[in-house]
Amino acid sequence: PGGKSSFSYTSEKEGVYVDPEAFLNTALKAAEEGKNTANIEIKKTEPEVTEEQLKNSVVLRSYFETSYAEAPYNDENRVYNIKKCVNIINSNKITLQPGESLSLNAILGDRTEKNGWKLAPGYISGRSEDQPGGGVCQISSTLYCAALKADLTATQRKNHSIPVGYINMGLDATISTGGPDLVIKNTTGAPIYICCGLTGKSSVYFMVYGAPFEGFTKILLKSEKLRDIEPEGDMVYTYTNELPAGEEKVRVKRRTGSEYRAYKCYYNGQSVIKTADIASSLYSAFAGETLVGTGEHLTRSR
């Protein structure tokens, strides 16, 4: 990954050319003279594009990977969903012509158990909850960063409600069936090719290929915290008959929110020549919710 090309090349070959009008005249003349054969002039033609030119015109513009080696991101079902994403994306052989866009939701389809997605942890309103396709947001976040490093444009992107541990804050991208999407647009002047894969160290990566950069050599990403956001109000206590009387269970942790700003840093060699804003990310503050058992349901069921 990163150093190995995902393309195979066929060497160029000389072609041949026969002038249609000259061929017809020569053939007619031979027929008129009762001859069975005719001498046809064949010209050699040079290839319009060579193998070397192709290799130089399509280069690796960016590489980005994230790890799912540590808990809770190495959940078995979550890893299954990540691998399913990789297979779907690569089977589509994604090519974006200049001006074309990619919708990740459209490529992956609806994440339902019926469609073969497994239940795995995902974030909803500040808490983790098993849902079909849990883990796909690691795919969208990794693609988002790879696209930014390739100098593509994200026309749709939304951060998670709370930070995730596999990527820097301000650089994540959440998606959901019927909800937020990640849409990437090819704003370069040449075709873009996108592929992804898995490493042996439990990471997923994306590689973006296209024309060489002009005026700079690479893009690096950074993000910085702008402010903290304090929760409003006190912890909410919700009474439930699903727990024994007096037992408490935190449903949503009390969290301080934050705002981050992300940037693209354009380099020429080792020098930064330009910095551009990407987007701001608001991670919500949560007052929190604790479930308190009344035991009524448990008592009646005895």
Side-chain angles (χ1 to χ4, degrees):
K4 183 179 180 181
S5 174
S6 294
F7 297 89
S8 59
Y9 298 88
T10 302
S11 297
E12 69 275 9
K13 294 181 179 180
E14 285 185 341
V16 294
Y17 173 78
V18 176
D19 185 292
E21 186 175 350
F23 171 81
L24 180 60
N25 291 336
T26 301
L28 289 174
K29 184 177 179 181
E32 290 173 357
E33 296 175 352
K35 297 179 179 179
N36 295 325
T37 60
N39 293 323
I40 304 298
E41 183 180 4
I42 297 176
K43 298 179 180 179
K44 291 183 178 181
T45 59
E46 295 297 322
E48 294 182 1
V49 180
T50 67
E51 180 182 356
E52 191 63 26
Q53 288 173 327
L54 281 177
K55 289 181 177 179
N56 292 334
S57 66
V58 180
V59 301
L60 180 63
R61 289 173 69 97
S62 73
Y63 173 87
F64 196 86
E65 75 174 67
T66 58
S67 173
Y68 53 86
E70 302 293 332
Y73 305 110
N74 59 359
D75 174 86
E76 182 178 352
N77 284 357
R78 187 178 185 277
V79 174
Y80 173 90
N81 291 332
I82 287 175
K83 291 179 178 179
K84 183 176 175 70
C85 285
V86 169
N87 290 333
I88 293 174
I89 291 169
N90 285 337
S91 68
N92 276 270
K93 295 181 169 54
I94 297 172
T95 300
L96 295 180
Q97 297 298 329
E100 286 188 341
S101 294
L102 171 160
S103 161
L104 194 53
N105 272 340
I107 290 175
L108 297 179
D110 291 348
R111 271 80 70 196
T112 64
E113 290 184 89
K114 182 179 179 181
N115 288 342
W117 299 91
K118 294 191 175 183
L119 292 173
Y123 290 131
I124 299 177
S125 300
R127 61 189 176 88
S128 177
E129 181 179 291
D130 281 353
Q131 53 189 285
V136 297
C137 289
Q138 183 157 357
I139 292 289
S140 57
S141 297
T142 309
L143 172 58
Y144 176 57
C145 289
L148 293 176
K149 290 186 66 180
D151 211 22
L152 307 183
T153 301
T155 56
Q156 290 186 44
R157 172 262 174 184
K158 181 178 176 61
N159 60 278
H160 291 78
S161 58
I162 59 177
V164 293
Y166 52 79
I167 204 164
N168 289 344
M169 295 172 72
L171 294 174
D172 59 309
T174 184
I175 63 172
S176 66
T177 299
D181 194 6
L182 175 66
V183 179
I184 301 298
K185 184 175 182 179
N186 178 5
T187 45
T188 75
I192 287 292
Y193 309 92
I194 298 175
C195 58
C196 57
L198 306 171
T199 72
K201 56 180 181 178
S202 299
S203 293
V204 58
Y205 65 85
F206 273 86
M207 297 189 291
V208 180
Y209 289 86
F213 292 133
E214 294 184 7
F216 60 97
T217 55
K218 66 180 177 181
I219 296 174
L220 296 182
L221 309 177
K222 71 173 184 178
S223 62
E224 62 181 12
K225 182 191 283 189
L226 301 182
R227 64 187 175 110
D228 287 322
I229 304 171
E230 294 301 322
E232 294 183 1
D234 297 326
M235 171 78 75
V236 175
Y237 290 89
T238 302
Y239 291 90
T240 174
N241 58 17
E242 298 298 324
L243 293 176
E247 183 176 316
E248 296 186 358
K249 180 180 179 181
V250 175
R251 185 169 184 265
V252 180
K253 292 181 179 179
R254 185 175 180 84
R255 295 179 184 273
T256 298
S258 57
E259 180 180 6
Y260 276 74
R261 190 80 190 174
Y263 306 89
K264 291 196 290 187
C265 301
Y266 293 77
Y267 282 76
N268 190 359
Q270 300 301 315
S271 302
V272 178
I273 59 174
K274 182 175 70 172
T275 300
D277 284 357
I278 300 173
S280 63
S281 299
L282 285 172
Y283 299 98
S284 302
F286 291 92
E289 180 185 11
T290 296
L291 301 178
V292 180
T294 62
E296 295 176 4
H297 172 76
L298 297 174
T299 301
R300 287 197 301 270
S301 66
R302 289 195 181 98

